[in-house]
Amino acid sequence: MAYKIDSGKCVNCGACEPECPVEAISENGDVRTIDADKCISCGSCASTCPSEAISE
């Protein structure tokens, strides 16, 4: 199952994007989003998110 970013918690800092090994994270307006089709559920993004906005 792909990880998701809670848009209410995301502060668009960008810390998660370079951590994604499959480049599934992109900027979408004022938040980041995860492409579920690309996400491999490794959790790298969640462990680097300072606002705890990413979960499974």
Side-chain angles (χ1 to χ4, degrees), residues 32-51:
R32 304 280 165 161
T33 57
I34 298 175
D35 183 335
D37 292 332
K38 290 183 180 179
C39 180
I40 59 171
S41 298
C42 67
S44 293
C45 58
S47 63
T48 62
C49 181
S51 59

